[in-house]
Amino acid sequence: MRVAVFSTKPYDREFLAVANAAAGHDLTFLDARLTTQTARLAEGADAVCVFVNDDLCAEVIGQLAETGVRVVALRSAGFNNVAVAAARKLGLTVVRVPEYSPHAVAEHTTGLILALNRKIHRAYNRVREHNFALTGLLGFDLHGRTVGIVGTGRIGVCVAQILAGFGCRVLASDPYPSDSAITAGVEYVPLERLLAESHIVTLHCPLTPDTRHLINAERIALVRAGVMLVNTGRGALVDTRAVIEGLKSGQIGYLGLDVYEEESDLFFEDRSERVLGDDDFARLTTFPNVLITGHQAFFTEDGLRNIATTTIANLTAVAQEGPDGVTGPARVC
């Protein structure tokens, strides 16, 4: 298949090229993010390959269909950036990578928890300035604390297993309880109880109309005062302005983010020479108890290799067997 690969970085090209060596697809790597302004770059392609911040709204789907594109291959598990109904109506097949490395995201989540708790990011900067004072770096033992996991898919279960190993009491909220989570000692409770009892709340649910701004002003009012909130799922699970107010009041004592609801205009690019126009993001960076990484939780050798391998396999299956060649969770529509 002729494939226009949007939003590519050197690491995408490296891993996709290796995975494609035997498959022989014609990959055209594009730096540009897929938008209504760049969709024309896919002209002549059978498929587009896209990432989390590419915009596949109904208008873009229509533009792709007009150019002859028949397949959208996502290099991600989430597909909230795709107008699935429009794709189905126009006959486009949408495929994804349902599992690449849940351990990568779970381990990064744990890293954020540890860094926030023990203030490792602040201690690192102090020592570089030869300041060895410990005042202001006080943490707490994870052992015996209660952690609430919202969403117990593959990543959430991995987080549960890791934190159970620290000796944490693990609560979870999910409409579909996981046997693996229960085996790991997780107790399923309503979301309101999870928020009220947890010292740490970490989000691992998909972004849907029901989960958009799941953490909002009303729910922040329910949490244990000084809670640690971590989001490595999707940015819009959190109402940023409500979280800022929660930080200012002290209701939220720590915040760890690897995603941000307006990240498409920020993440994956070097913007160090520019003034950021996003006032909410700029405000978040002023808090000493906030730690933000730029959507890198997935970014391990294992994760990139699995993403590339599954993406190429999806394209090959569609090329050889048609739209029904991809079945199961890898097929969106």
Side-chain angles (χ1 to χ4, degrees):
M1 300 182 77
R2 295 166 297 176
V3 185
V5 188
F6 285 86
S7 296
T8 58
K9 302 297 180 188
Y11 44 84
D12 296 307
R13 297 169 189 177
E14 175 187 350
F15 282 89
L16 284 169
V18 171
N20 188 49
H25 297 289
D26 181 5
L27 305 182
T28 299
F29 295 110
L30 303 167
D31 295 335
R33 186 162 62 95
L34 179 57
T35 66
T36 53
Q37 287 74 43
T38 62
R40 59 183 178 79
L41 296 175
E43 191 166 352
D46 305 301
V48 294
C49 181
V50 298
F51 198 44
V52 293
N53 288 330
D54 288 302
D55 180 6
L56 288 107
C57 64
E59 184 178 354
V60 169
I61 291 292
Q63 290 175 310
L64 294 176
E66 288 176 3
T67 65
V69 168
R70 287 293 172 261
V71 182
V72 173
L74 294 159
R75 304 195 301 277
S76 62
F79 51 90
N80 54 280
N81 56 329
V82 182
V84 176
R88 185 178 291 115
K89 180 179 179 180
L90 293 173
L92 273 70
T93 300
V94 181
V95 293
R96 64 180 181 132
V97 182
E99 179 180 357
Y100 42 90
S101 179
H103 300 285
V105 181
E107 290 166 10
H108 191 82
T109 300
T110 308
L112 288 175
I113 291 170
L114 290 169
L116 281 165
N117 174 26
R118 303 308 299 269
K119 301 172 178 62
I120 293 171
H121 55 305
R122 299 182 64 190
Y124 170 79
N125 288 325
R126 281 193 189 186
V127 170
R128 286 173 60 86
E129 297 173 355
H130 301 169
N131 176 358
F132 305 105
L134 298 183
T135 302
L137 301 181
L138 189 66
F140 57 84
D141 288 2
L142 286 179
H143 186 275
R145 292 308 200 276
T146 299
V147 179
I149 299 175
V150 183
T152 52
R154 294 177 180 89
I155 294 170
V157 168
C158 284
V159 173
Q161 292 168 337
I162 292 170
L163 293 175
F166 276 95
C168 295
R169 172 190 178 221
V170 183
L171 303 179
S173 177
D174 194 305
Y176 305 100
S178 161
D179 290 340
S180 297
I182 294 171
T183 300
V186 170
E187 178 186 357
Y188 280 92
V189 298
L191 179 59
E192 290 72 18
R193 180 181 164 193
L194 180 150
L195 295 174
E197 297 185 14
S198 298
H199 298 90
I200 300 167
V201 174
T202 178
L203 308 179
H204 303 285
C205 51
L207 178 60
T208 68
D210 289 336
T211 62
R212 182 176 181 82
H213 287 182
L214 181 75
I215 302 300
N216 53 27
E218 291 76 14
R219 290 201 169 105
I220 290 171
L222 300 176
V223 302
R224 179 192 290 262
V227 71
M228 180 186 295
L229 175 64
V230 178
N231 184 14
T232 58
R234 284 290 181 265
L237 294 174
V238 168
D239 181 340
T240 303
R241 294 186 179 179
V243 164
I244 289 172
E245 291 304 313
L247 287 163
K248 289 165 63 178
S249 70
Q251 188 74 352
I252 297 175
Y254 313 76
L255 177 67
L257 301 177
D258 187 57
V259 290
Y260 173 63
E261 62 180 323
E262 301 298 334
E263 70 176 60
S264 61
D265 294 326
L266 295 175
F267 288 2
F268 305 116
E269 303 294 338
D270 180 0
R271 305 188 188 280
S272 58
E273 300 297 325
R274 308 180 193 176
V275 174
L276 295 184
D278 188 322
D279 291 343
D280 291 336
F281 188 87
R283 183 69 177 96
L284 284 174
T285 62
T286 68
F287 291 98
N289 53 344
V290 171
L291 179 56
I292 303 174
T293 53
H295 206 136
Q296 72 177 77
F298 78 99
F299 197 62
T300 65
E301 291 181 8
D302 310 81
L304 288 178
R305 186 180 303 112
N306 292 338
I307 288 170
T309 300
T310 302
T311 298
I312 296 299
N314 285 340
L315 290 167
T316 299
V318 175
Q320 293 179 348
E321 303 176 41
D324 295 329
V326 178
T327 58
R331 174 90 180 267
V332 176
C333 73

